[in-house]
Amino acid sequence: MLMFDLNLQSTLKKDRDKLISSKELNAIVEKIFNEKAINISKVKRKLDKPNDSYINSLTFDDIETDKIFHISSIKKLCIKYRLRFLDTHLFKGEYPSELYNIIPQLEAKHQTTLENFKIMAPSKLFRLRTKEDPLLFAPIGNGYYYLVHKWGRDLKSYRRFLVWPFKNVNTLIFTSIILSLISTVFGAKIFNNFSDNELFVIFIFNIKTFVFVTFYLLFMMRKNFNESIWNSKYKN
């Protein structure tokens, strides 16, 4: 029966109105939104600020050890997946909304001010100087970084194999040799009247061709190897 139905929202509102006026409630809500806007503004200023020599100090008992990573591990991952590890003021991607709460909460927890943030992400997410799924880190000294937040989608595991040829000169030459071998075997299957000596000559010719083409394309596209760009603020 309708006369016995209970509207929970109306009941809550009646009880609230006994405790606080609409004017006071508006003032509280406005204060909450103003504080949130101030937090967002402060965090944005930190992220847009160029890094200096400041080292963050965290409370030992509150540190999550699974979020501490040495620069050598970060470098290894960047080279393996062709990523950059750069200051946040070069980052042009979108920060997730929860980050503006995570940083103030982390600062309050450790009773400190966090500075000098760095991000690990693909090159396309940075404003790079022309000579042109992210992880946010804060330095804590001795080459160690504390993972503040991770967002976005995870990288595809096969990215490692796609960018492996561009790890360094040796991997690019090795890839060229493998491609040359595959193309030579494929040609031998189609034209089975080649002698062993002729196949060897074709194989050597293919190696020279693949090496020349790959290095020429790298030069024309002004690209560099993973080991050279992982912490470079320059596009090429």
Side-chain angles (χ1 to χ4, degrees), residues 172-189:
L172 189 60
I173 292 176
F174 181 79
T175 302
S176 299
I177 292 174
I178 294 299
L179 291 175
S180 301
L181 181 61
I182 293 172
S183 64
T184 303
V185 171
F186 186 72
K189 293 291 183 181

Side-chain angles (χ1 to χ4, degrees), residues 2 13 33 51 60 62 107 123 139 153 209 213 219:
L2 292 176
K13 186 177 182 302
F33 276 87
N51 288 7
F60 179 78
D62 293 321
E107 289 179 328
S123 300
R153 293 177 295 179
T209 302
V213 169
F219 175 78

Side-chain angles (χ1 to χ4, degrees), residues 190-207:
I190 298 176
F191 308 102
N192 54 11
N193 56 343
F194 286 125
S195 66
D196 290 343
N197 288 335
E198 288 173 327
L199 287 174
F200 180 74
V201 171
I202 292 172
F203 174 61
I204 297 299
F205 176 79
N206 284 343
I207 290 177

Side-chain angles (χ1 to χ4, degrees), residues 80-82 156-165 226:
K80 184 181 291 185
Y81 291 98
R82 196 171 177 84
K156 300 298 182 184
S157 57
Y158 56 75
R159 177 186 174 92
R160 171 185 178 182
F161 302 103
L162 293 178
V163 301
W164 185 83
N226 301 4

